[in-house]
């Protein structure tokens, strides 16, 4: 127990927020003492020192290691699996394959049914058999010793050829998943009204998720109860899919994911390895650890789909947009997986435009299924729309920022009924970002026209909106106040590295007047915490923070009621001051929290908080505008990014430190799309992935990312959105990055790079073409 | 996960040579490339022979003749930072500094950098290619954006991955080799194997032979050396195109020297057309333009690496301009 209250209470002598009456939601914070400040992570020491136990660190007594043998071909029928040799190898305790009864389980991708070990493999990396052995080396040796007879089937690995008449059919119904269309107004009239109409084709390459921690889990049975330690963005999502597949009650499946070494969307989904680990563990009656090697995660754990886009745009001389017509061809791989999901959202929603049509066609190819990848679809659509805006601005002789300012919407036009945004941050992000970046001056002094030598500099910018980011129900959170005044925060949500735990501790600290370090957090465990949706969609803070605040308020109400009884004063007369409860009318009547008899006797006060619904008829969206400066060596095609600025309207800034970290991380990831990353399949020959390691799949290094990154929050606490006023940030920060780089390269060189990535391979050829054409 | 192998760490060169004469024996120097080769199972290994116990293979020493002897186990970082190398052979120091990333430079050795396996993804990946004893090269009709534009012999299209090898070749270095038949010296320019000579080996080291050191001749008068590398990202990457220049200047005039390309061919590629274009000339705009044209005159690009044509032109132009201004 702490010696005195000053060691626990952060805000002693400072007011904590007023406790609302029962049934009333708390008012938005006016002044904050903790929220909004730069606060180091509550688990920084554990993460840096290595004491944080990630799922891949789990070591259980008697634990075996699993290995999955996967199909080396992009399309093949599995004719025969012979495990005889593998079963007799040293250390091997279990071997499972398509013939194993308890592994004969269904697995589906949306409406398309398959199996854990499918008879026909439709992408390289589909599971064929699996082994558990005493050491990882024995497991892999045994997996390699499994003899598989494949009938290799013809494959199609390029989505642009998937609908050709002679393309091999991946599913019985053919290779088209679906075509989705959207329209409003009259596009042909819009183009007729335009002074300038431009049309351009764009392409972004597929990117591979590369979280530092690999995908995998440890499975352990205790009787008929299964525990999984899994590297996941959502323990409840894993619980429900595993329980469903294995035919277990939810209560018998405990999934724990206290730490996760990155996910970026690829750990939102449940994977076959979790089922395979559970089956191996049951068969061997031992715990089994099964983590995929990096090559396998690149094959089967998702991707940002490639996008082939055409955008036609009309604008009047004064900058008014009159029409946008957009088409996209994409692929989510061999199963339905959202190959064109949300690619058209920027076109539909970002700028005021009465006449719009979009058409997105999703096709199958023999490659790993896509998974959500930080802001699914958005950076691709942004690559097209924001380069087009740049081109339109030039065509009508207008500044790119000014053109955007001319077309600011106040309602979400892409949604049914065009609901108003709770706050529209687009305009302040544009003006404030441009001011802080020094846009007007940089635009004048740099650019292709200003330079003679081989080194050219330019600046570019791009704007964006994120489709969600307001969060919403359900969420149930528990805050426990102990007799010494310290607290325990219990929530189901995962902290996927974004600083969720720290922000939630700050909310408790703000509300109860506690120091954040006096709060212990239990989270991401289906056995001990409450249901939460997976951490993704930039919704964790706006979803969980109001529930945490509500739970803290419930604690305060109960403490006030206890104190009212003990002090013989009406509860309305009492105020919760953090370290103490005090009478409003009689300032001499004051009881320290630790002096409240009820709390001491009971030992704990439990507050249960819920997330209230979002306001009806409103759209809650974060906005992001980014500016950058680049340098291009026109002799060699090398491009260097010199500086970046991100202006973000994400409601209230909860923790300035993790806010800025998100900005830096999002820009880094966006630079990957812009300049270095692409999945390369051996399309013409084997259809196999050729760049499957960290040398060949090129993530940006520290030298590819500028040291000069400015985070410029445009803070507009959104009182309508939720009781904390916060909106999402993690995805907005990566949406406009690549397009901003492409626009800066255009400014520097006069070359419009319409296909990602902008590396010397591409830029050398384009520069040569430019020289030839004079 | 890895093949099973035995591991020995002999204390003398003689023992090491003996161990290496066995079938399936490989050298372990810094181990940065060996480890990935083992994991990717691209070499058939039965015995790993660590040479880290051989004292004579460490360090940089000045030789009696005024040159330098760089022991094979000298790390890439040591080569990049050595004051004498930086002063007399700056091209080599620059080449070493451009290798991989700081951790790999700290662990990797100059000997290993010269003996490393190629990075072709068909060779490294799950493809039974010609270089691994298969019957086909996947590059000509496949994903060949990082492949050779010279010297393939239409057999194998790897590019040699070393950044130090072209510098050593340009500087007229010699490779010191110890083997069952004793010691021998080989010019650095003749150390690597073209596919037309033998497709399954990258160096002329015979079974049992160890690269023990690199010997640099004393710098000739007027020597200027540089290395320039262009890559797809700014660190931890191999050359898309690079050039090592070691030119002797007599006033403004190039009196002699060598031009060796990286990222161009299965071996460090000596560009005689560039040498012919610059030797005997002053590096004025005309000469440089002619050299830039000459560098790719004989190039044979594949479907996806034609960008290397303007890229090599640009690199030669930029680098000759740089070396012309001491």
């Amino acid at each position: 127990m702490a010696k005195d209250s000053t060691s626990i209470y952060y805000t002693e002598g400072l007011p904590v927020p007023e406790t609302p009456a029962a049934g009333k939601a708390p008012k938005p914070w006016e002044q904050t003492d903790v929220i909004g400040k730069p606060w180091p992570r509550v688990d920084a020491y554990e993460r840096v020192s290595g004491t944080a136990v990630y799922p891949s660190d789990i070591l259980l007594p008697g634990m075996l290691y699993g290995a999955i043998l996967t199909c080396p071909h992009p399309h093949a029928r599995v004719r025969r699996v012979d495990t005889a040799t593998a079963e007799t190898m040293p250390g091997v305790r279990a071997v499972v394959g398509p013939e194993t009864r308890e592994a004969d389980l269904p697995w589906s991708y949306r409406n398309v049914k398959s199996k854990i070990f499918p008879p026909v493999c439709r992408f390289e990396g589909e599971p064929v058999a699996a082994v558990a052995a005493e050491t990882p080396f024995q497991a892999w040796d045994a997996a390699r010793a499994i003899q598989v007879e494949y009938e290799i089937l013809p494959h199609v690995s390029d989505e642009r050829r998937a609908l050709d008449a002679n393309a091999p059919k991946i599913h019985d119904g053919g290779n088209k998943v679906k075509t989705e269309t959207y329209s409003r107004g009259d596009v042909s009239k819009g183009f007729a009204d335009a002074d300038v109409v431009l049309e351009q084709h764009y392409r972004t390459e597929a990117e591979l998720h590369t979280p530092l921690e690999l995908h995998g889990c440890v499975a352990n049975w205790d009787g008929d109860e299964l525990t999984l330690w899994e590297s996941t963005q959502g323990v409840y999502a894993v619980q429900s899919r595993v329980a469903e597949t294995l035919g277990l009650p939810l209560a018998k499946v405990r999934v724990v994911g206290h730490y996760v070494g990155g996910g970026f969307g690829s750990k939102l989904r449940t994977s076959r390895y979790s089922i395979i680990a559970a089956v191996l563990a049951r068969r061997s009656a031992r715990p089994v650890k099964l983590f995929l090697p990096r090559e396998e995660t690149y094959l089967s754990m998702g991707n940002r789909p490639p996008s082939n886009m055409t955008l036609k745009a009309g604008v009047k001389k004064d900058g008014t947009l009159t029409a946008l017509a957009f088409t996209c061809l994409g692929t989510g791989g061999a199963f339905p997986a959202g190959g064109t999901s949300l690619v058209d959202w920027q076109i539909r929603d970002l700028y005021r435009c009465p006449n719009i049509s979009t058409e997105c066609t999703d096709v199958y190819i023999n490659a790993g299924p896509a998974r959500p990848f930080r802001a699914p679809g958005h950076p691709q659509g942004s690559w097209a729309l924001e380069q087009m805006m740049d081109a339109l601005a030039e065509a009508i002789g207008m500044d790119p920022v000014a053109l955007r300012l001319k077309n600011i919407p106040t309602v979400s036009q892409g949604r049914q009924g065009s609901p108003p945004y709770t706050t529209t941050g687009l305009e302040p992000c544009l003006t404030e970002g441009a001011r802080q970046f020094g846009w007007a001056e940089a635009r004048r002094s740099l650019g292709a026209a200003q330079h003679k030598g081989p080194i050219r500099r330019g600046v570019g910018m791009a704007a964006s909106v994120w489709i969600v980011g307001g969060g919403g129900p359900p969420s149930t959170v528990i805050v426990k106040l102990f007799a010494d005044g310290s607290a325990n925060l219990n929530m189901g949500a995962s902290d996927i590295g974004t600083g969720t735990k720290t922000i939630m501790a700050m909310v408790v600290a703000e509300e109860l007047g506690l120091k954040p370090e006096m709060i212990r957090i239990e989270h991401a465990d289906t056995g001990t915490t409450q249901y939460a949706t997976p951490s993704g969609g930039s919704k964790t803070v706006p979803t969980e923070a109001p529930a945490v605040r509500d739970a803290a308020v419930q604690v305060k109400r109960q403490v006030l009621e206890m104190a009212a009884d003990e002090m013989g004063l009406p509860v309305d007369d009492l105020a919760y001051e953090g370290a103490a409860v005090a009478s409003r009318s009689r300032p001499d009547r004051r009881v320290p929290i630790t002096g409240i008899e009820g709390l001491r006797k009971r030992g704990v006060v439990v507050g249960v908080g819920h997330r209230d619904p979002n306001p009806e008829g409103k759209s809650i969206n974060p906005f992001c505008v980014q500016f950058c400066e680049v340098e291009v060596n026109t002799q060699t095609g090398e491009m260097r990014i010199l500086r970046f600025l991100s202006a973000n309207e994400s409601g209230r800034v909860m923790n300035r430190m993790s806010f800025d970290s998100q900005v830096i991380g999002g820009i880094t990831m966006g630079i990957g799309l812009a300049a270095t990353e692409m999945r390369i399949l051996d399309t013409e020959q084997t259809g196999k992935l050729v760049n499957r390691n960290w040398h060949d799949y090129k993530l940006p290094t520290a030298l590819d990312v500028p040291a000069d990154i400015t985070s410029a929050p445009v803070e507009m606490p959104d009182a309508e959105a939720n009781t904390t006023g916060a909106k999402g940030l993690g995805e907005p920060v990566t949406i406009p990055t690549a397009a901003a780089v492409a626009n800066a390269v255009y400014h520097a060189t006069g070359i419009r790079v319409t296909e990602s990535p902008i590396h010397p391979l591409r830029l050398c050829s384009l520069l040569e073409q430019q020289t030839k054409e004079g | 996960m890895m093949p099973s192998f035995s591991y020995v760490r002999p204390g003398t060169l003689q023992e090491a040579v003996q161990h290496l004469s066995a079938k399936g024996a490989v050298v372990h120097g810094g181990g940065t490339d060996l480890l990935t080769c083992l994991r990717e199972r691209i070499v058939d290994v039965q015995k790993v022979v660590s040479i880290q116990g051989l004292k004579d293979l460490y360090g940089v020493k000045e030789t009696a003749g005024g040159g330098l002897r760089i022991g094979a186990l000298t790390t890439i970082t040591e080569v990049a930072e050595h004051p004498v190398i930086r002063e007399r052979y700056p091209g080599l120091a620059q080449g070493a500094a451009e290798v991989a990333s700081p951790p790999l430079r700290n662990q990797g050795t100059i000997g290993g950098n010269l003996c490393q396996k190629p990075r072709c993804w068909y060779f490294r990946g799950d493809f039974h290619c010609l270089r691994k004893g298969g019957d086909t090269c996947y590059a000509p009709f496949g994903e060949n954006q990082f492949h050779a534009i010279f010297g393939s012999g239409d057999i194998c299209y790897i590019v040699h991955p070393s950044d130090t090898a072209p510098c050593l070749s340009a500087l007229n270095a010699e490779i010191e080799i110890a083997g069952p038949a004793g010691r021998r010296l080989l010019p650095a320019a003749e150390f690597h194997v073209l596919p037309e000579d033998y497709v399954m080996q990258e160096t002329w080291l015979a079974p049992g032979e160890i690269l023990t050191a690199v010997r640099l001749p004393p710098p000739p008068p007027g020597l200027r050396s540089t290395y320039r590398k262009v890559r797809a990202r700014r660190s931890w990457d191999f050359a898309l195109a690079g050039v090592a220049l070691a030119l002797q200047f007599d006033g403004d005039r190039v009196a002699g020297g060598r031009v060796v390309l990286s990222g161009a061919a299965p071996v460090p590629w000596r560009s005689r057309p560039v040498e012919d274009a610059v030797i005997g000339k002053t590096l004025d705009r005309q000469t440089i333009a002619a050299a830039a044209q000459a560098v790719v005159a004989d190039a044979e690009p594949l479907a996806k690496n034609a960008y290397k044509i303007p890229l090599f032109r640009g690199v030669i132009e930029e680098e000759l301009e740089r070396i012309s201004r001491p």
Side-chain angles (χ1 to χ4, degrees):
Chain A
M1 192 178 279
K3 280 193 192 110
D4 59 39
S5 59
T6 56
S7 64
I8 289 182
Y9 290 95
Y10 177 71
T11 56
E12 184 145 36
L14 291 171
V16 301
E18 180 104 12
T19 311
K24 291 247 172 87
K27 286 186 204 132
W29 295 302
E30 277 169 21
Q31 273 189 313
T32 58
D33 296 307
V34 184
I35 292 294
K37 306 288 189 296
W39 208 275
R41 287 168 193 255
V42 293
D43 52 8
Y45 175 83
E46 289 82 352
R47 287 177 186 272
V48 173
S49 66
T51 60
V53 180
Y54 288 74
S56 47
D57 295 326
I58 295 283
L59 279 176
L60 299 178
M63 188 175 82
L64 302 176
Y65 294 85
I68 302 175
L69 177 69
T70 65
C71 180
H73 310 292
H75 200 189
R77 179 168 288 115
V78 180
R79 284 221 173 279
R80 200 173 59 89
V81 179
D82 179 356
T83 59
T85 311
E87 279 168 38
T88 62
M89 287 176 64
V92 173
R93 298 289 172 257
V95 182
V96 297
E99 305 293 315
T100 314
R101 191 183 46 79
E102 60 264 50
D104 184 13
L105 294 166
W107 192 257
S108 59
Y109 290 88
R110 301 194 180 170
N111 56 334
V112 176
K113 293 191 171 73
S114 183
K115 293 196 157 200
I116 295 291
F117 298 116
V120 174
C121 292
R122 292 183 168 86
F123 62 91
E124 185 188 8
E126 277 216 79
V128 174
V131 175
E134 298 287 346
T135 72
F137 301 94
Q138 290 171 330
W140 282 106
D141 284 349
R144 288 175 58 85
I146 295 170
Q147 303 288 315
V148 185
E149 196 183 298
Y150 294 104
E151 176 191 343
I152 297 176
L153 304 170
H155 64 85
V156 54
S157 310
D158 184 337
E159 70 281 0
R160 290 162 290 192
R161 292 187 220 154
L163 297 180
D164 290 357
N166 59 352
K169 299 277 175 284
I170 296 169
H171 294 281
D172 290 343
N175 292 344
K176 188 158 156 180
V177 184
K178 62 182 172 190
T179 294
E180 285 181 321
T181 59
Y182 165 86
S183 70
R184 68 172 180 254
D186 181 344
V187 173
S188 16
K189 183 179 173 300
F191 287 127
D193 290 348
D195 293 315
V196 171
V197 174
L198 298 178
E199 185 170 355
Q200 180 66 51
H201 182 74
Y202 305 90
R203 176 177 161 86
T204 54
E205 293 289 346
E207 288 188 285
L208 301 172
H209 302 84
T210 311
L212 272 183
E213 186 181 34
L214 296 161
H215 293 69
C217 66
V218 177
N220 187 37
W221 290 91
D222 186 355
D224 63 348
E225 294 181 9
L226 173 66
T227 302
L228 286 172
W229 287 263
E230 167 126 357
S231 185
T232 176
Q233 293 175 236
V235 289
Y236 284 89
V238 175
Q239 181 199 35
S240 80
R241 187 89 192 260
V242 169
E244 185 194 335
T245 306
L246 295 176
L248 293 168
L250 286 174
K252 296 282 186 180
V253 179
R254 180 179 176 193
V255 181
V256 187
H258 291 155
Y259 285 93
V260 49
F264 309 110
S266 70
K267 292 176 184 168
L268 285 168
R269 298 250 189 281
T270 311
S271 308
R272 278 184 264 192
Y273 62 73
S274 303
I275 306 298
I276 293 171
V279 170
L280 287 169
R282 184 138 67 182
R283 221 174 143 81
S284 62
R286 301 265 292 270
V288 170
K289 181 179 221 167
L290 205 177
F291 276 80
L292 305 188
R294 181 66 64 187
E295 294 89 337
E296 296 290 338
T297 74
Y298 273 178
L299 289 168
S300 63
M301 290 294 121
N303 53 73
R304 183 192 294 287
S307 300
N308 305 278
M309 305 168 282
T310 301
L311 179 60
K312 185 176 173 187
V315 69
K316 289 190 180 173
K317 274 183 197 146
D318 69 355
T320 309
L321 282 175
T322 60
L324 296 169
F326 177 76
T327 61
C328 175
L329 173 75
T331 177
F335 288 94
T340 51
S341 178
L342 306 179
V343 174
D344 66 349
W345 190 254
Q346 298 301 296
I347 288 93
R348 283 164 64 165
D349 208 55
L350 182 58
Y351 297 116
R352 197 179 57 219
C353 182
N355 308 302
I356 288 192
S357 71
T358 74
E359 182 187 297
C360 296
T361 300
D362 188 3
V363 299
Y364 295 119
I365 61 167
N366 293 108
R371 290 184 174 194
F373 192 132
R374 201 171 189 171
H378 284 53
Q380 298 101 298
S382 172
W383 177 260
L385 176 63
E386 292 302 275
Q387 291 208 60
M388 176 56 83
M389 290 296 281
D390 214 51
L392 291 174
E394 185 181 41
I396 58 170
M398 203 167 176
D399 177 82
V401 173
L403 173 62
R404 287 164 173 90
L405 285 169
K406 180 85 186 168
N407 294 282
I408 304 278
T410 53
V411 298
S412 178
Q413 305 155 95
R415 284 184 164 77
Q416 193 71 35
S418 296
Y421 300 116
T422 47
T423 53
T424 307
L426 183 55
E427 184 173 343
C429 285
L430 283 162
T431 50
E432 187 52 25
R435 187 188 68 76
Q436 287 194 36
F437 184 81
W439 170 257
E441 169 56 24
R443 194 74 184 170
R444 254 195 314 276
S445 61
L446 304 172
Q450 310 301 324
H451 294 267
K452 290 278 182 288
I455 307 292
R456 309 280 168 83
R457 279 193 183 189
V459 289
M461 53 78 58
S464 61
V465 62
W466 170 233
I467 187 168
V468 282
S475 170
T476 302
V477 166
I478 292 175
V479 170
K480 304 176 206 169
L481 182 71
F482 295 118
D484 69 347
S486 65
N488 177 309
L489 166 62
N490 179 290
M491 62 170 187
S494 303
D495 182 341
I496 57 174
T498 54
T500 305
K501 279 156 71 183
T502 309
I503 289 174
M504 299 312 148
M506 291 169 77
V507 172
V508 175
E510 186 73 47
E511 205 63 37
L512 297 182
L514 281 171
K515 288 180 177 176
E517 55 266 35
M518 281 302 140
I519 298 159
R520 187 187 127 76
I521 300 166
E522 288 165 1
H523 79 306
D525 180 339
T526 67
T528 61
T529 66
Q530 321 319 311
Y531 181 84
T533 48
S535 293
S538 303
K539 65 151 186 49
T540 311
V541 165
T543 296
E544 307 300 336
V548 171
R549 190 172 181 206
D550 187 31
V553 166
Q554 303 295 345
V555 164
K556 293 202 293 189
R557 282 202 194 112
Q558 292 176 60
V559 170
L560 289 175
E561 277 163 20
M562 281 179 178
D565 264 6
E566 291 171 24
M567 296 164 82
L569 292 168
V571 72
D572 295 352
D573 182 46
L574 298 181
Y576 192 102
E577 288 183 349
V581 174
S583 163
R584 295 168 202 270
S585 58
R586 299 181 52 189
D588 58 311
R589 298 293 304 277
R590 199 166 182 281
V591 181
I593 292 290
T594 49
I596 295 172
E597 201 63 25
L599 175 59
R600 272 161 57 185
K601 279 188 183 154
R602 204 194 284 177
V604 69
V605 168
V606 177
V608 181
H610 297 282
R611 175 60 157 85
D612 287 336
N614 289 331
E616 276 188 40
K618 294 284 176 76
S619 188
I620 306 166
N621 300 96
F623 295 86
C624 174
V625 179
Q626 292 180 348
F627 299 80
C628 71
E629 182 174 339
V630 305
E631 182 181 275
V632 176
N633 182 333
T634 56
Q635 278 178 310
T636 60
E638 292 163 291
M639 186 267 293
R640 198 149 70 96
I641 300 168
L642 302 175
R643 64 185 176 117
F644 242 101
L645 180 138
S646 188
N648 286 88
E649 194 272 293
S650 286
R652 185 190 297 277
V653 175
M654 298 293 279
N655 178 354
R656 183 60 200 263
M657 201 178 258
S658 55
F659 190 99
D660 293 352
S661 292
Q662 283 285 31
V663 167
I664 294 165
I667 288 172
T668 301
M669 207 156 205
I671 288 173
L673 175 66
T676 63
E677 293 180 48
M678 66 186 290
R679 174 184 72 182
I680 302 174
L681 301 171
D682 188 28
T683 306
E684 303 292 330
Q685 303 177 109
T686 61
K688 287 163 71 67
L689 176 69
V690 292
N691 56 343
R692 58 179 71 197
N693 59 46
W694 279 5
H695 164 246
D696 293 324
Y697 184 79
K698 297 182 197 304
L699 296 167
T701 66
L703 293 184
D704 297 291
V705 179
D708 183 354
I709 295 181
T710 305
S711 162
V714 173
E715 199 168 8
M716 302 170 78
D718 192 337
E720 278 186 279
N722 59 65
T723 60
T724 63
K727 297 192 280 194
L729 176 70
E731 281 154 301
V733 287
T734 205
I735 298 170
T737 310
V741 172
N743 287 340
V745 168
Y746 180 78
H747 187 229
T749 62
I751 290 174
R752 182 60 67 195
V753 188
T754 56
E755 302 194 1
S756 77
I758 307 172
H759 53 20
L761 289 75
R762 188 146 359 255
L763 219 35
C764 267
S765 307
L766 292 170
L767 284 158
E768 191 192 27
Q769 209 177 313
Q770 186 189 42
T771 314
K772 275 184 186 158
E773 289 164 4
Chain B
M1 211 172 237
M2 273 198 196
S4 294
F5 53 81
S6 61
Y7 178 87
V8 291
R9 192 169 176 161
T12 69
L13 194 56
Q14 205 182 356
E15 282 173 78
V17 165
Q18 214 161 23
H19 280 297
L20 281 168
S21 304
K23 191 177 172 301
V26 293
V27 172
H28 173 222
T32 58
D33 190 35
L34 179 64
L35 189 67
T36 54
C37 288
L38 289 173
R39 190 173 183 279
E40 287 158 354
R41 293 174 177 267
I42 58 168
V43 285
D44 178 27
V45 177
Q46 282 154 39
K47 189 194 284 191
V48 172
V49 183
S50 169
I51 54 170
Q52 288 181 353
L54 307 182
K55 295 209 170 53
D56 191 39
L57 268 57
Y58 289 92
V60 181
K61 290 188 193 87
E62 299 199 41
T63 58
L68 276 188
R69 179 185 184 275
I70 306 173
L73 290 173
T74 308
T75 66
I76 300 297
T77 300
E78 288 172 298
V79 174
E81 293 178 355
H82 197 277
V84 178
I85 298 176
R86 288 173 72 129
E87 190 203 321
R88 295 187 203 162
Y89 313 97
L92 176 60
Q94 288 163 21
E98 294 288 310
V99 170
S101 60
L104 287 166
R105 290 197 291 273
N106 290 338
Q107 177 69 20
T109 65
I110 184 83
N113 194 260
L114 297 174
C115 296
Q116 64 186 307
K117 291 281 177 187
R119 303 301 313 187
C120 168
W121 44 40
Y122 294 110
F123 176 70
R124 293 264 168 180
D126 185 16
F127 301 87
H128 194 50
C129 80
L130 213 55
R131 189 166 286 274
K132 288 190 289 195
D135 56 9
T136 187
C137 173
Y138 290 84
F141 302 106
E143 294 301 315
N144 48 39
Q145 42 272 66
F146 296 106
H147 287 80
I149 57 170
F150 295 109
S152 68
D154 295 336
I155 299 166
C156 167
Y157 294 82
I158 62 160
V159 290
H160 197 273
S162 174
D163 292 311
T164 59
C167 304
L168 291 168
S169 177
L171 289 164
N172 211 5
E174 286 181 307
I175 308 293
E176 190 188 285
I177 296 165
R183 289 177 183 266
R184 65 181 177 123
L185 283 173
L186 202 59
E190 293 169 24
F191 182 64
H192 292 101
V193 182
L194 276 170
E196 63 200 41
D197 292 326
Y198 186 41
V199 76
M200 288 183 65
Q201 199 170 309
E202 292 78 38
T203 73
W204 286 114
L205 288 176
E209 284 193 324
I210 302 177
L211 188 162
T212 52
V214 169
R215 287 172 176 273
L216 283 161
L223 176 71
R224 291 179 207 166
S225 65
T226 63
Y227 182 68
R228 171 74 160 100
K229 174 182 179 180
V230 175
R231 51 194 145 190
R233 65 178 169 194
R234 297 176 59 79
S235 176
W236 193 17
D237 211 353
F238 294 86
L240 296 173
V243 61
L245 297 179
L247 301 178
Q248 289 125 256
F249 282 79
D250 179 5
D252 282 346
R253 202 178 62 91
V254 179
R258 285 186 182 182
V259 176
V260 184
L261 309 179
S262 60
V267 299
W269 191 252
R270 187 164 171 193
S271 181
R272 303 234 185 223
V274 175
E275 291 174 12
D276 292 345
V278 298
I279 291 172
K281 311 249 173 61
T282 54
L283 292 180
D284 53 24
R285 192 175 290 182
Q286 255 179 328
T287 306
I288 290 174
Q293 290 305 319
V295 68
V296 288
D298 307 328
E300 293 177 321
L302 298 162
K304 296 189 175 182
N305 67 5
Y307 71 91
K308 288 196 179 188
I309 304 291
L311 179 53
F312 269 108
R313 270 195 228 120
V315 167
I316 288 292
E317 212 163 51
E318 187 185 84
E319 213 43 22
L320 286 175
E321 232 154 69
R322 184 156 80 105
I323 206 168
S324 74
R325 294 176 266 114

